[in-house]
Coordinates of all heavy atoms in Angstrom, one line a residue:
F1 N 111.7 94.0 125.4 CA 110.3 93.4 125.1 C 109.3 94.2 125.9 O 108.2 94.4 125.4 CB 110.4 92.0 125.5 CG 109.1 91.2 125.3 CD1 108.7 90.9 124.0 CD2 108.2 91.0 126.4 CE1 107.5 90.2 123.8 CE2 107.0 90.4 126.2 CZ 106.6 90.1 124.9
L2 N 109.6 94.6 127.1 CA 108.6 95.3 128.0 C 108.3 96.6 127.3 O 107.1 97.0 127.2 CB 109.1 95.5 129.4 CG 108.3 96.2 130.3 CD1 107.0 95.5 130.5 CD2 109.0 96.5 131.7
I3 N 109.3 97.3 126.8 CA 109.1 98.6 126.2 C 108.1 98.5 124.9 O 107.3 99.2 124.7 CB 110.4 99.3 125.8 CG1 111.1 99.7 127.1 CG2 110.2 100.5 124.8 CD1 112.6 100.2 126.8
L4 N 108.5 97.5 124.1 CA 107.6 97.1 123.0 C 106.1 96.8 123.4 O 105.2 97.3 122.7 CB 108.1 96.0 122.2 CG 109.5 96.3 121.3 CD1 110.0 95.0 120.8 CD2 109.1 97.2 120.2
L5 N 106.0 96.1 124.4 CA 104.6 95.7 124.9 C 103.9 97.0 125.4 O 102.7 97.2 125.0 CB 104.8 94.7 126.1 CG 103.5 94.2 126.7 CD1 102.6 93.6 125.7 CD2 103.7 93.3 127.8
V6 N 104.6 97.8 126.1 CA 103.9 99.0 126.7 C 103.6 99.9 125.5 O 102.5 100.5 125.4 CB 104.9 99.8 127.7 CG1 104.3 101.2 128.0 CG2 105.0 99.0 128.9
W7 N 104.5 100.1 124.5 CA 104.2 100.9 123.3 C 102.9 100.3 122.6 O 102.0 101.0 122.2 CB 105.4 100.9 122.4 CG 105.2 101.6 121.1 CD1 104.5 102.8 120.9 CD2 105.9 101.4 119.8 NE1 104.6 103.3 119.6 CE2 105.5 102.4 119.0 CE3 106.9 100.5 119.4 CZ2 106.0 102.5 117.6 CZ3 107.3 100.6 118.1 CH2 106.9 101.5 117.3
N8 N 103.0 99.0 122.4 CA 101.8 98.3 121.7 C 100.5 98.6 122.6 O 99.4 99.0 121.9 CB 102.0 96.9 121.5 CG 100.9 96.2 120.8 OD1 100.6 96.6 119.7 ND2 100.2 95.2 121.4
I9 N 100.5 98.5 123.9 CA 99.3 98.8 124.6 C 98.9 100.2 124.5 O 97.7 100.5 124.3 CB 99.5 98.4 126.1 CG1 99.6 96.9 126.3 CG2 98.5 98.9 127.1 CD1 100.2 96.4 127.7
A10 N 99.8 101.1 124.5 CA 99.5 102.6 124.3 C 98.8 102.9 123.0 O 97.8 103.6 122.9 CB 100.7 103.4 124.6
V11 N 99.3 102.2 121.9 CA 98.7 102.4 120.6 C 97.4 101.8 120.5 O 96.5 102.5 120.0 CB 99.8 102.0 119.5 CG1 99.1 101.9 118.1 CG2 101.1 102.7 119.5
V12 N 97.2 100.6 120.9 CA 95.9 99.9 120.8 C 94.9 100.7 121.6 O 93.8 101.0 121.2 CB 96.0 98.4 121.2 CG1 94.6 97.8 121.4 CG2 96.9 97.7 120.3
N13 N 95.3 101.1 122.8 CA 94.4 102.0 123.6 C 94.0 103.3 123.0 O 92.9 103.6 123.0 CB 95.0 102.3 125.0 CG 94.1 103.0 125.9 OD1 93.0 102.5 126.3 ND2 94.5 104.2 126.4
H14 N 95.0 103.8 122.3 CA 94.7 105.1 121.6 C 93.7 104.9 120.5 O 92.7 105.7 120.3 CB 96.0 105.6 121.0 CG 95.9 106.9 120.2 ND1 95.7 108.1 120.7 CD2 96.0 107.0 118.8 CE1 95.6 109.0 119.7 NE2 95.8 108.3 118.5
I15 N 93.9 103.7 119.8 CA 92.9 103.4 118.6 C 91.6 103.2 119.2 O 90.6 103.6 118.7 CB 93.5 102.3 117.8 CG1 94.8 102.8 117.1 CG2 92.5 101.8 116.8 CD1 95.7 101.7 116.4
L16 N 91.5 102.2 120.2 CA 90.2 101.8 120.6 C 89.5 103.0 121.4 O 88.3 103.0 121.3 CB 90.4 100.6 121.6 CG 90.8 99.3 121.0 CD1 91.0 98.2 121.9 CD2 89.7 98.9 119.9
K17 N 90.2 103.8 122.1 CA 89.5 104.9 122.7 C 88.9 105.8 121.7 O 87.8 106.3 121.9 CB 90.7 105.7 123.5 CG 90.2 107.0 124.2 CD 91.3 107.6 124.9 CE 90.9 109.0 125.5 NZ 92.0 109.7 126.1
A18 N 89.6 106.1 120.6 CA 89.0 106.9 119.5 C 87.8 106.2 118.8 O 86.7 106.7 118.6 CB 90.0 107.3 118.5
A19 N 88.0 104.9 118.5 CA 87.0 104.1 117.8 C 85.7 104.0 118.6 O 84.6 104.1 118.0 CB 87.6 102.8 117.4
L20 N 85.9 103.7 119.9 CA 84.8 103.5 120.8 C 84.2 104.7 121.5 O 83.3 104.6 122.2 CB 85.1 102.3 121.7 CG 85.5 101.0 121.1 CD1 86.1 100.0 122.2 CD2 84.3 100.4 120.5
A21 N 84.9 105.8 121.3 CA 84.6 107.1 121.9 C 84.3 106.8 123.5 O 83.3 107.1 124.0 CB 83.3 107.7 121.4
M22 N 85.4 106.3 124.1 CA 85.5 106.0 125.5 C 86.5 106.9 126.3 O 87.5 107.4 125.6 CB 85.9 104.6 125.7 CG 84.9 103.6 125.2 SD 85.5 101.9 125.5 CE 83.9 101.2 126.0
T23 N 86.4 106.9 127.6 CA 87.3 107.6 128.4 C 88.5 106.6 128.6 O 88.4 105.4 128.4 CB 86.7 107.9 129.8 OG1 86.2 106.7 130.4 CG2 85.5 108.9 129.6
N24 N 89.6 107.2 129.1 CA 90.8 106.5 129.3 C 90.7 105.3 130.1 O 91.2 104.2 129.7 CB 91.9 107.4 129.8 CG 93.2 107.2 128.9 OD1 93.2 106.5 127.9 ND2 94.3 107.8 129.3
P25 N 90.2 105.3 131.4 CA 90.2 104.1 132.2 C 89.4 102.9 131.6 O 89.9 101.8 131.6 CB 89.6 104.6 133.5 CG 89.7 106.1 133.6 CD 89.8 106.4 132.2
L26 N 88.3 103.3 131.0 CA 87.5 102.2 130.4 C 88.2 101.6 129.2 O 88.1 100.5 129.0 CB 86.1 102.7 130.1 CG 85.1 101.7 129.6 CD1 84.9 100.6 130.7 CD2 83.7 102.4 129.4
S27 N 88.7 102.5 128.4 CA 89.3 102.1 127.2 C 90.5 101.2 127.5 O 90.9 100.2 126.7 CB 89.7 103.3 126.3 OG 90.8 104.0 126.7
L28 N 91.3 101.5 128.5 CA 92.4 100.8 128.9 C 92.0 99.3 129.3 O 92.7 98.3 129.0 CB 93.2 101.4 130.1 CG 94.5 100.7 130.5 CD1 95.4 100.6 129.3 CD2 95.2 101.5 131.6
G29 N 90.9 99.2 130.0 CA 90.4 97.9 130.4 C 90.0 97.1 129.2 O 90.3 95.9 129.0
I30 N 89.4 97.8 128.2 CA 89.0 97.1 126.9 C 90.2 96.7 126.1 O 90.3 95.6 125.6 CB 88.1 98.1 126.0 CG1 86.8 98.4 126.7 CG2 87.9 97.6 124.7 CD1 85.8 97.3 126.9
T31 N 91.2 97.6 126.1 CA 92.5 97.3 125.4 C 93.2 96.1 126.0 O 93.6 95.3 125.2 CB 93.4 98.5 125.5 OG1 92.8 99.6 124.9 CG2 94.8 98.2 125.0
L32 N 93.3 96.0 127.3 CA 93.9 94.8 127.9 C 93.1 93.5 127.6 O 93.7 92.5 127.4 CB 94.1 95.1 129.4 CG 95.0 96.2 129.8 CD1 95.1 96.4 131.3 CD2 96.5 96.0 129.2
A33 N 91.7 93.6 127.7 CA 91.0 92.4 127.3 C 91.2 92.1 125.8 O 91.3 90.8 125.5 CB 89.5 92.7 127.5
Y34 N 91.4 93.1 124.9 CA 91.6 92.8 123.5 C 93.0 92.1 123.4 O 93.1 91.1 122.7 CB 91.6 94.1 122.7 CG 92.0 94.1 121.3 CD1 91.1 93.8 120.3 CD2 93.3 94.4 121.0 CE1 91.5 93.8 119.0 CE2 93.7 94.4 119.7 CZ 92.8 94.0 118.7 OH 93.1 94.1 117.4
I35 N 94.0 92.7 123.9 CA 95.4 92.1 123.7 C 95.6 90.8 124.4 O 96.0 89.8 123.8 CB 96.4 93.1 124.3 CG1 96.4 94.4 123.3 CG2 97.8 92.6 124.2 CD1 97.3 95.5 123.8
F36 N 95.3 90.8 125.8 CA 95.6 89.5 126.5 C 94.6 88.4 126.3 O 94.8 87.3 126.4 CB 95.9 89.8 128.0 CG 97.0 90.7 128.1 CD1 96.9 92.1 128.6 CD2 98.3 90.2 127.9 CE1 98.0 92.9 128.8 CE2 99.5 91.0 128.0 CZ 99.3 92.3 128.5
G37 N 93.3 88.9 126.0 CA 92.3 87.9 125.6 C 92.6 87.2 124.4 O 92.3 86.1 124.2
G38 N 93.2 88.0 123.4 CA 93.5 87.3 122.1 C 94.6 86.2 122.4 O 94.5 85.1 121.8
S39 N 95.6 86.5 123.2 CA 96.7 85.5 123.5 C 96.0 84.3 124.1 O 96.3 83.1 123.9 CB 97.7 86.1 124.4 OG 98.4 87.1 123.6
A40 N 95.1 84.6 125.2 CA 94.5 83.4 125.9 C 93.6 82.6 125.0 O 93.6 81.4 125.1 CB 93.7 84.0 127.1
F41 N 92.9 83.3 124.1 CA 92.1 82.6 123.1 C 92.8 81.6 122.2 O 92.5 80.5 122.0 CB 91.2 83.6 122.3 CG 90.4 83.0 121.2 CD1 89.2 82.4 121.5 CD2 90.9 83.1 119.8 CE1 88.5 81.8 120.4 CE2 90.2 82.5 118.9 CZ 88.9 81.8 119.2
V42 N 93.9 82.2 121.7 CA 94.8 81.4 120.8 C 95.3 80.1 121.6 O 95.4 79.0 121.1 CB 95.9 82.2 120.1 CG1 96.9 81.3 119.5 CG2 95.3 83.2 119.2
R43 N 95.8 80.4 122.8 CA 96.4 79.3 123.6 C 95.3 78.2 123.9 O 95.5 77.1 123.8 CB 97.0 79.8 124.9 CG 98.4 80.1 124.7 CD 99.1 80.5 126.0 NE 99.6 81.8 125.8 CZ 99.2 82.8 126.6 NH1 98.4 82.7 127.6 NH2 99.7 84.1 126.4

């Protein structure tokens, strides 16, 4: 499960980094907000 989660984070970060034309540290923060914010929102 952890491997799947890390893979998902890497892919979403890759997509958002390209879409938003951001650097890696900033895009990773956006990625984590996107992924974990969605779960928190649904809950």
